[in-house]
Amino acid sequence: MAEWKTITTYSEILFERMDHIAKITINRPEVRNAFTPDTIQEMIEAFTYCRDDESIGVIILTGQGDLAFCSGGDQKVRGNGGYVGKDKIARLNVLDLQRLIRVIPKPVIAMVRGWSVGGGNILQLVCDLTIAADNAQFMQTGPKVGSFDAGYGSAYLARVIGHKKAKEVWFLCKPYTAQEALEMGWINKVVPLADVEKETLAWCQEILKKSPTALRFIKAAMNADTDGLAGLQQIAGDSTMLFYESDEGKEGRDAFVEKREPDFDKFPKFP
Ligand code: S0N
């Protein structure tokens, strides 16, 4: 088994790395890795670290133990306007985390063992890829427990598995096996429970051999198709980043700083 090293110690998640791979583990197995606003805040901090660290190329999101990836929002801390953490403010900050996973310009892989339920299953959905153990089960419970995700959890789910299936998932609230989820295109691969981390790491190693800029643009392009102007903003920002690195981009900056007219004539006008 791989040697993981702690990056930062948190109270509700584990945050580790191995070379260029980061792993974020929801660490509340006693409640099937249900999340509180504090769990989410810790995950936001860990994902932000991964985004900023140039040496991290791929991120794994998982849950502690074999019984659950995540069982969604912790119903025992659900207040009247959201989930209540240490600061006593009712929040739905999992929505901020969903956006962060979408915009982080590096592949994020959900590694699912056991239950993937409710808001936890939406986190799995918004990850770029999902590798599941053969004991994984996928389920939405919102209409049973008085909640729903009408954003990525519904509209994006319909894009991924189709409208009829997405409605079935939400209207019936029944569990689907890993094999059924695979057949729906909800996840990428099913492997025996004992092999799930080995397989996930093998996918990470393959991804790490690829051009990070190419991966960044592919992820942004696929998200732009579903995220409207926010998706366009992401891919436009990525293009600006590349342009800033070019001699043509630098000429504009340098001319301003040197108080002279820019000389853009020397740059090719490609067809
Ligand atoms: C996960 C299930 C199927 C596991 O069943 P199993 O293995 O039989 O275990 P249990 O005995 O049921 O559970 C073991 C212990 O864990 C506690 N527990 C489990 N899940 C939760 C939970 N979500 N919150 C709090 N505690 C949980 C059990 O209570 C038990 O502890 P004890 O023995 O002490 O009672 C099964 O447990 C299950 O069905 N769990 C509930 C799943 C669920 O309904 N989740 C919530 C769904 N809703 C959301 O997630 C909303 C998310 C959200 O925040 C949101 C907000 C706005 C917009 C979008 C979203 C979004 O969806 O993302």
Side-chain angles (χ1 to χ4, degrees):
M1 187 57 69
E3 285 277 321
W4 293 101
K5 293 194 175 68
T6 298
I7 298 175
T8 310
T9 302
Y10 285 107
S11 48
E12 301 198 359
I13 66 168
L14 304 176
F15 183 31
E16 302 162 291
R17 72 179 296 162
M18 189 177 38
D19 301 327
H20 303 292
I21 304 167
K23 185 167 74 164
I24 298 169
T25 306
I26 304 170
N27 190 22
R28 305 186 75 229
E30 67 284 0
V31 286
R32 302 293 186 264
N33 296 316
F35 55 75
T36 71
D38 302 314
T39 327
I40 296 293
Q41 183 52 38
E42 291 178 3
M43 284 199 275
I44 288 172
E45 285 176 28
F47 271 105
T48 303
Y49 178 105
C50 295
R51 183 181 192 164
D52 291 347
D53 187 323
E54 289 181 20
S55 70
I56 290 174
V58 58
I59 303 144
I60 300 169
L61 176 62
T62 193
Q64 181 71 317
D66 292 343
L67 297 181
F69 169 74
C70 177
S71 62
D74 186 326
Q75 298 306 296
K76 292 159 193 162
V77 302
R78 182 171 148 188
N80 293 331
Y83 295 80
V84 182
K86 289 190 195 96
D87 64 6
K88 307 288 181 216
I89 297 173
R91 298 176 191 280
L92 295 170
N93 59 348
V94 71
L95 301 176
D96 299 330
L97 177 61
Q98 292 174 3
R99 282 292 306 150
L100 181 56
I101 292 172
R102 294 276 292 177
V103 302
I104 194 165
K106 305 175 182 185
V108 181
I109 304 181
M111 181 171 80
V112 178
R113 292 175 286 229
W115 286 104
S116 177
V117 180
N121 198 30
I122 310 308
L123 289 178
Q124 175 277 123
L125 173 74
V126 298
C127 288
D128 300 303
L129 299 167
T130 299
I131 313 283
D134 54 7
N135 77 334
Q137 295 195 76
F138 301 81
M139 181 168 68
Q140 293 306 136
T141 61
K144 272 205 301 199
V145 297
S147 77
F148 55 85
D149 182 335
Y152 287 119
S154 298
Y156 181 58
L157 181 67
R159 294 259 189 142
V160 172
I161 66 172
H163 282 256
K164 294 279 185 185
K165 271 290 170 195
K167 285 176 184 164
E168 177 187 313
V169 163
W170 278 100
F171 292 178
L172 275 63
C173 296
K174 70 183 179 85
Y176 297 86
T177 64
Q179 190 55 39
E180 288 170 328
L182 183 69
E183 284 158 16
M184 280 187 244
W186 209 349
I187 63 173
N188 296 88
K189 177 128 193 186
V190 183
V191 294
L193 175 61
D195 297 337
V196 72
E197 184 158 299
K198 192 174 73 176
E199 183 70 18
T200 306
L201 288 171
W203 284 51
C204 291
Q205 295 300 351
E206 277 305 316
I207 288 168
L208 287 168
K209 290 182 207 159
K210 309 296 184 295
S211 154
T213 306
L215 298 179
R216 179 187 189 112
F217 271 85
I218 289 163
K219 175 167 176 171
M222 291 192 189
N223 288 350
D225 183 44
T226 43
D227 285 357
L229 275 181
L232 186 61
Q233 184 214 34
Q234 173 79 14
I235 202 164
D238 285 348
S239 305
T240 305
M241 179 197 77
L242 286 189
F243 187 53
Y244 275 7
E245 289 178 348
S246 72
D247 289 340
E248 186 179 341
K250 288 174 191 164
E251 171 62 12
R253 175 201 63 194
D254 292 348
F256 178 83
V257 172
E258 292 161 14
K259 298 188 185 300
R260 60 173 172 80
E261 283 298 308
D263 175 11
F264 289 120
D265 275 354
K266 57 190 172 192
F267 298 108
K269 286 87 181 158
F270 292 116

